[in-house]
Amino acid sequence: MVYKKHHCYQTDEQHGHRSGLGSPMALPGGLLTRGEEPVPLKSISVTLSIREFVAGVSATLNYENEEEVPLETFFVFPMDEDSAVYSFEAEIDGKKIKAELKDKRKAHSIYESALSNRRQAFLLEEDRYSRDVFCCNVGNLHPGSKVALTLKYVQELPLEADGTLRYVLPAVLNPRYCRPGSSEDSCLNMKTPVVPLEELPYTFSMIATISSQHGIERIQSNCPFSPMEYLGDDKTSAQVSLTEGHKFDRDVELLIYYREKHTPSVAVEMGQAKDNPVDGLMKDPSVMVCFYPNIPEVESPVICGEFVFLMDRSGSMHCPISKQDKSQLRIEAAKETLILLLKSLPIGCYFNVYGFGTSYEAFFPNSVKYTQQTMEEALRRVQLMRADLGGTEILTPLQIIYGEPSIPGHPLQLFIFTDGEVTDTFSVINEVRRNRTKHRCFSFGIGEGASTSLIKGIARVAGGTSEFITGKARMQSKALSALKRALQPAVEDISVSWDLPRGLSAKMLSPEQTVLYRGQRLIIYALLSGTMPPADTTGEVCLKYMLQGKSFENRVTFSLQPKPDDNFTIHRLAAKSFLQTKDMGFRDTPAKDKKDVLKVSIDCGVISSQTAFIAVNKSLNKPVQGPLARRDVPRPILLGAASMIPRFYGGGLDRSPAPDHTLRKKCMSLKEASPEIERAHSSTNRMNLETHPTVFGDNHLVQLISLQNADGSWYPDENLAGILGRSLEDLLAAIPVKDANSSSWATVLAMVWLHSNAKQMKCEWELLEKKARTWIRIHAASIMQELVKAAIAFTKSSVDPAIFAL
């Protein structure tokens, strides 16, 4: 762990040293010792309570020492990085021991002292290198003992684009790539054995209660749950439970649909002033404000920007996105996504594509202007992309990208796609944070177990958004939604003001908001200090911003009567918001911020990189007797195939041949890229779908999109005719207007096909169709109506011609 003292303990076989923590690969990978022998984990039970958009979670892991010797053990588990962990306790043989939150150094010292004196002790802390991995030590568990370890946390739930709330209980903790010579003391470095799912020795149960004044319409999950049961006639609360027999082999996801649209709200929570005379964040009432800004959809007068796509090509990207049948390989979904993004970029912008693993490659030495030629060159290279670059080394390519000179008038927009299997997430987040003034970062976590600390952290510090692609979710649609945000005109001069009674003021705890996106929710935390007014008094909070020279504001009036909450949910969420801004990891948090982080963490009882929960069982009449044994619990094979069991290099993960650890960059000319590309380029100036038939398969949508030109038009050729199910001769003979530009006819045919055959995926192609409309408006506006009617007849489509009105 972070601090290691090497006490010698006699095991069953020899004297040994307690060394650094290791890792199971999933939450129920369980209670591990500093050896590799199994320890029976009997069951895991989770109680989830969701009120509006806040989740409260209590998770209990039940173990039993059925051996004749005492154990020193620990377990490692994933946690969403937005979780505010505020309670940890152990129940041993019917006695509860509540842990205290202390400075991490002091907590380690207490734990080491307890073990030296053969006392039972318990330690819970964040991993040194990532906010989404936790480690728990259990020392001196005597023979025959049963222990139940319970931790509690609260968390804001993210809002999906369609208004759905998403709760995820992290389960999968994949091996993470470790740069040689770094992160060696991370708890993720132990290489535990793997077993088939049917051999896992523990059970898992979960019960969830959801309540909302908006009413509950339905609840969906990627795991089998019992039918939703309403708890009242008004349908404002409901309950579901995980069906019996579930193995914790994937992240458990719940999608919650409320009956009414989300509306702005303000909640005021009572502080601890009466019980806690000491000054601190918990003393005064806290406020949580939730805005849903109605930012209008407007056209940007000038589309510009430098768009850089950083794509994970590590060996683990060859895995399926999920365990579900026919789930697309991560690398194939990534390639399709890149095609859509490249086709959707605006004319006149600049772009580049990087692939990274242990080494990294760039499509171009520097970002290039978006033209027909550069787009085609990039598209051909996308087709040749493989998950063949070794481990997940993202830091160096980021430094290279940030080191490139800026393009005047074209702000950098960075899109990062990765399965997030990185050990030292704080180093990556801090690198992005240091460069936050020169770019925005949009991040995408691919597959089960992507690091929430990495994906959310880099987007948060650089004013972007984050998305996770699991189960049946499509990377393509989420990436295009992010591109739409990146192309939105900037919202400026964002401010929050308060109108409160005399003698009362609001102190903001949330960081200053510098970015707002259309459709985004905004949550703000503050403390109310001063004299609280009578119960019927109200206050007002106002969000103001500017968009293209126009001023907008959202006002919410709220009651100033604070409500009690035994868990102090709002205070702890506010503390978490503050800590995410100031806490940059155990090593890298600036000295000037460490003091504030430590104070807020301990005052509010919310764990941070600088603190740890510690408990010692002082009620035992005599010290634990006998030599300590060490045990291990194997992890499940999450990918369902023994062939995908990872190999480790330098503590990292790879599923391909051992890489050369010397980081290298490849910026190939078209001729250097491969003879295959060169032949394709010399034979025709258009991409031939037959050159790489395995890339697109039978996916006619991707085939059609790949044929679009950079300016938004299509050429009439054999490939387009084949997608339409007609011959090229028939296609050309059907041009309805004499001497009409054949590209205008082909472009309208492609647009009709999109609306007829891919309507359900409109979010993935509406940007490139918008380019097509713009091209038609310039080149064929006068005959558009005739072209559309003829195209509908030619393709035998039932599309309403009105949707093509320019």
Side-chain angles (χ1 to χ4, degrees), residues 288-520:
M288 173 192 259
V289 183
C290 184
F291 284 113
Y292 298 88
N294 186 23
I295 300 174
E297 185 172 10
V298 296
E299 293 288 334
S300 180
V302 179
I303 297 294
C304 60
E306 178 189 5
F307 298 87
V308 174
F309 306 104
L310 182 58
M311 185 63 69
D312 193 337
R313 287 177 53 191
S314 61
S316 51
M317 285 290 288
H318 195 69
C319 303
I321 288 178
S322 75
K323 288 174 56 63
Q324 298 179 6
D325 292 339
K326 299 181 180 179
S327 178
Q328 196 172 22
L329 292 182
R330 298 173 186 179
I331 190 64
E332 294 304 319
K335 289 160 70 173
E336 283 190 16
T337 300
L338 272 178
I339 292 169
L340 287 166
L341 289 168
L342 289 171
K343 293 293 184 176
S344 300
L345 291 177
I347 288 288
C349 73
Y350 287 76
F351 79 101
N352 204 351
V353 179
Y354 287 75
F356 72 93
T358 308
S359 59
Y360 72 97
E361 299 177 358
F363 281 16
F364 307 98
N366 303 101
S367 292
V368 295
K369 195 165 186 177
Y370 182 71
T371 65
Q372 182 67 23
Q373 183 180 359
T374 57
M375 183 201 71
E376 287 186 356
E377 189 172 338
L379 202 62
R380 292 188 181 94
R381 294 183 183 184
V382 168
Q383 295 176 60
L384 295 181
M385 283 175 53
R386 301 288 182 269
D388 58 0
L389 293 184
T392 311
E393 168 53 76
I394 189 174
L395 185 58
T396 299
L398 275 174
Q399 292 169 337
I400 295 298
I401 291 169
Y402 294 141
E404 296 291 344
S406 299
I407 302 174
H410 293 270
L412 175 62
Q413 312 263 25
L414 179 60
F415 292 71
I416 298 178
F417 300 83
T418 178
D419 57 19
E421 296 181 355
V422 178
T423 297
D424 191 354
T425 64
F426 280 125
S427 291
V428 179
I429 294 168
N430 284 327
E431 181 64 27
V432 176
R433 187 171 185 255
R434 280 190 289 270
N435 293 276
R436 65 188 181 277
T437 58
K438 65 172 67 172
H439 81 304
R440 289 191 294 184
C441 179
F442 300 87
S443 58
F444 305 85
I446 305 169
E448 305 284 357
S451 169
T452 59
S453 178
L454 178 70
I455 303 303
K456 292 184 177 183
I458 58 179
R460 183 178 61 249
V461 298
T465 59
S466 60
E467 297 283 358
F468 291 86
I469 298 101
T470 58
K472 295 180 180 179
R474 285 180 59 81
M475 186 190 309
Q476 297 88 328
S477 60
K478 296 202 172 194
L480 268 295
S481 294
L483 180 58
K484 291 171 197 170
R485 295 190 188 104
L487 293 172
Q488 288 177 13
V491 172
E492 301 173 320
D493 298 333
I494 304 167
S495 65
V496 175
S497 59
W498 302 79
D499 184 4
L500 301 172
R502 184 183 298 274
L504 189 65
S505 62
K507 177 185 177 182
M508 294 285 287
L509 292 175
S510 299
E512 182 183 0
Q513 195 71 25
T514 59
V515 179
L516 274 180
Y517 296 104
R518 189 170 184 268
Q520 183 184 33

Side-chain angles (χ1 to χ4, degrees), residues 747-774:
T747 301
V748 172
L749 283 171
M751 292 166 64
V752 168
W753 189 95
L754 287 171
H755 284 276
S756 300
N757 297 277
K759 186 177 180 180
Q760 71 279 12
M761 296 181 181
K762 185 178 179 181
C763 60
E764 298 179 16
W765 50 258
E766 61 181 330
L767 281 178
L768 59 91
E769 193 242 13
K770 187 177 180 180
K771 285 170 65 175
R773 286 175 180 263
T774 300

